[in-house]
Amino acid sequence: MSTFPWLTVLVAWPLVAALATALTGVGRGRPAAGAASGGGAFSAGTARTVALVGALVEVALVVGAFLAFDTGAAGTHQLTETYPWIPAFGASYAVGVDGVALLLVALSAGLVPLVILAAWHEQGGDAVRLRRYLATVLVLLSFMVLVFTARDVFLFYVVFEAMLIPAYFLIGGFGQGAQRRYAAVKFLMFSLGGGLIMLAAVIALYLQVPVDAATGLRPQDAFLTDNLTGLALDPMAERLMFAAFFLAFAIKAPMFPVHTWLPDVTQNATPGTSTLLICVLDKVGTFGMLTLCLPLFPEASRWAAPFVVVLAVISILYGAILAIGQSDVLRLIGYTSVSHFGFIILGIFTFTSVGVSGSSFMMLNHGISTGALFLLAGFAIARHPRHSQLVSDYGGMRTVAPVLGGTFLVAGLSALALPGLATFVSEIMVFLGAYGRWPAAVLVAVPAVVLAATYVLLTYQRMFTGPVGAEVAGAKDLGGREKTVAGVLVAALVVLGLVPGPALDYVREPAEVSVELVGATDPQPVLGAAEGSEQ
């Protein structure tokens, strides 16, 4: 068993890298407008390098955590650390990961260096803005790692809310749309509203912890997730607390009908920011449903499951239908995520090991495929003289930028779950798991597969095929830096699609544990039951 504090180092290192990035070039002053060299150029180039090196060190640390993790016990929390934080009311600094959490930490760490590479020339060439943007991205990375590893409910809540600070500035301060401040405030209001309701439930849950008869006090580690699992709760109180937690997570996910902040954010944030928010940060919602709602409120989870499944199916179809009608490519990708998150939530509330495993795997796959779409769309937008996000302003880009066109097509095919690419494996697992528990929901949701093919292929046709658009006729293909970003993401989609076994080893046992904690069992196959009756 490893005694090295892997998770604490993974949380702390991005903050060190963020500080180093923020201090790069301090004292040299802001360069004059249009300056091509001097202190501003030094600051920008050094800031990029420092941020990238810091992010790559984080990736190396994640590799170390994987090596220290025992996949044979992926359903138990490992690399754990627990220290008193606020003993007066039972809060601890407690971190640990099971297989699902470790994969999401890896997704967080893996996407950040790609976002930094993709943002190499963003922020209008302003060295100070770029430095601050990169530092904020690294701060967000620290929070993302901590929220996926927190094993204390109060610590989880604090980080859940603290993440809003860097996310708000990434949208409103460093966004590229005319309504970026509106989008940032809308995102903040939705998230804060859900968070405040969740806080009431966190306090109520703490009050359910039994008081020590001798001291008259609750334990100093009362907020530990393990201590809150299995409490004897009043059914009505449990359902109310579940509803509060679920609402906060549904907003974060995002899920119909509390998803409306998402399209505005993706339209007005930079593609790199959208990648981190949608592909990683929003996974906190589905991760919270899986790791907090199900084990803390098992009876309420079973009670609410039919309603949640209906909302999940609506999200699947609603997001796909609205994606087809979008004219803004970044807003379109945002709506596809509403649909994909519906699949993830459907799988979680199947209460089957196959369905929950598929949802957990889809959290990883969606992050890669949708991240690829955002970043590749950003590369296309950067090549437009007006930086237009309208699909109709492109056309024929496959001719002038074949690598961009080819990689965008692969990412799109992964989004529609083409066999051989990563998302297919997880989506088919969700369907199989859901059919055993909610067959009607699967039959209603299946048309989303056709809808996904429609929005992906129509978008590709309009942007990359046909006559070359006049405004993009002189566009260049991807450079070496951009090919690195695209190549890593496409390679991950292909490898996870063709060889999913190693990744599934990390989610299979946690799924079985979740199903057991919620008090469910896997449905027996109809064929097997029939054979048994004949014997």
Side-chain angles (χ1 to χ4, degrees):
M1 181 178 178
S2 175
T3 58
F4 184 78
W6 286 106
L7 301 182
T8 295
V9 173
L10 281 167
V11 171
W13 173 252
L15 297 177
V16 175
L19 180 61
T21 302
L23 295 178
T24 302
V26 170
R28 292 176 175 267
R30 183 184 292 271
S37 60
F42 173 89
S43 174
T46 308
R48 296 186 194 109
T49 303
V50 170
L52 181 59
V53 170
L56 291 175
V57 170
E58 182 80 350
V59 172
L61 290 170
V62 169
V63 172
F66 267 90
L67 294 175
F69 188 85
D70 179 11
T71 54
T76 60
H77 285 87
Q78 303 176 42
L79 312 180
T80 55
E81 305 169 50
T82 304
Y83 306 100
W85 180 29
I86 313 176
F89 60 89
S92 308
Y93 171 81
V95 291
V97 288
D98 62 4
V100 177
L102 188 58
L103 287 181
L104 292 177
V105 170
L107 176 66
S108 307
L111 284 178
V112 166
L114 300 179
V115 167
I116 292 172
L117 282 172
W120 210 249
H121 298 298
E122 283 187 2
Q123 302 306 320
D126 187 325
V128 174
R129 281 180 57 84
L130 180 63
R131 189 175 68 224
R132 292 171 179 169
Y133 172 77
L134 296 175
T136 307
V137 166
L138 290 168
V139 171
L140 182 61
L141 172 59
S142 175
F143 287 161
M144 291 189 298
V145 172
L146 185 52
V147 79
F148 288 129
T149 59
R151 297 297 301 153
D152 178 281
V153 173
F154 187 77
L155 175 64
F156 177 91
Y157 171 77
V158 169
V159 184
F160 183 84
E161 295 289 74
M163 289 189 302
L164 300 179
I165 300 172
Y168 171 82
F169 286 110
L170 286 174
I171 300 166
F174 301 104
Q176 60 189 17
Q179 294 186 306
R180 58 186 180 273
R181 291 182 177 83
Y182 164 79
V185 171
K186 188 174 183 179
F187 162 78
L188 189 66
M189 292 297 100
F190 267 76
S191 300
L192 280 177
L196 288 174
I197 295 172
M198 179 180 169
L199 175 61
V202 169
I203 296 172
L205 185 60
Y206 170 75
L207 295 176
Q208 307 304 310
V209 177
V211 175
D212 184 89
T215 64
L217 301 174
R218 292 179 173 82
Q220 294 186 349
D221 56 359
F223 273 114
L224 288 181
T225 307
D226 292 341
N227 292 342
L228 295 175
T229 301
L231 292 177
L233 301 175
D234 175 76
M236 181 56 68
E238 180 179 348
R239 293 175 182 183
L240 290 174
M241 287 186 283
F242 168 87
F245 272 74
F246 181 81
L247 176 61
F249 295 146
I251 291 172
K252 187 73 75 178
M255 186 182 191
F256 176 89
V258 287
H259 67 286
T260 57
W261 61 267
L262 174 67
D264 292 325
V265 166
T266 57
Q267 183 178 3
N268 291 280
T270 64
T273 295
S274 294
T275 298
L276 296 179
L277 293 184
I278 312 306
C279 301
V280 181
L281 197 66
D282 287 355
K283 298 298 188 308
V284 176
T286 49
F287 179 76
M289 293 178 193
L290 179 62
T291 61
L292 292 180
C293 285
L294 266 59
L296 298 184
F297 314 112
E299 187 278 332
S301 297
R302 297 193 302 272
W303 165 76
F307 175 70
V308 174
V309 167
V310 169
L311 289 181
V313 172
I314 293 174
S315 294
I316 291 170
L317 297 174
Y318 175 86
I321 292 171
L322 264 66
I324 294 173
Q326 297 306 307
S327 58
D328 184 297
V329 64
L330 297 181
R331 193 175 182 89
L332 183 154
I333 298 171
Y335 272 113
T336 69
S337 290
V338 174
S339 182
H340 291 147
F341 274 100
F343 278 110
I344 296 172
I345 295 168
L346 174 62
I348 291 172
F349 282 85
T350 64
F351 305 142
T352 64
S353 56
V354 173
V356 176
S357 294
S359 289
S360 302
F361 193 30
M362 196 168 185
M363 290 189 218
L364 174 66
N365 294 336
H366 168 268
I368 300 170
S369 64
T370 303
L373 284 174
F374 273 123
L375 295 179
L376 290 167
F379 293 157
I381 292 167
R383 281 157 172 74
H384 194 282
R386 294 184 290 107
H387 300 291
S388 174
Q389 297 176 191
L390 297 178
V391 174
S392 59
D393 285 343
Y394 294 82
M397 285 201 71
R398 181 184 62 181
T399 302
V400 295
V403 177
L404 174 58
T407 51
F408 188 92
L409 179 60
V410 173
L413 293 175
S414 179
L416 64 83
L418 182 76
L421 296 174
T423 311
F424 170 77
V425 180
S426 47
E427 191 168 298
I428 199 68
M429 290 177 70
V430 168
F431 275 133
L432 290 173
Y435 191 79
R437 187 80 68 186
W438 312 102
V442 173
L443 295 176
V444 176
V446 160
V449 175
V450 178
L451 296 173
T454 303
Y455 62 66
V456 167
L457 296 179
L458 279 178
T459 303
Y460 180 78
Q461 179 188 43
R462 292 167 180 169
M463 292 185 68
F464 291 95
T465 66
V468 179
E471 291 185 293
V472 295
K476 296 180 179 180
D477 206 354
L478 299 184
R481 170 181 54 83
E482 296 163 320
K483 286 179 181 177
T484 300
V485 174
V488 169
L489 292 168
V490 169
L493 293 174
V494 173
V495 170
L496 289 172
L498 296 178
V499 193
L504 289 173
D505 288 341
Y506 285 89
V507 302
R508 187 176 296 108
E509 190 175 328
E512 294 171 355
V513 171
S514 296
V515 171
E516 181 181 351
L517 287 174
V518 83
T521 56
D522 285 328
Q524 293 298 318
V526 175
L527 180 60
E531 291 175 349
S533 62
E534 291 175 1
Q535 294 173 359

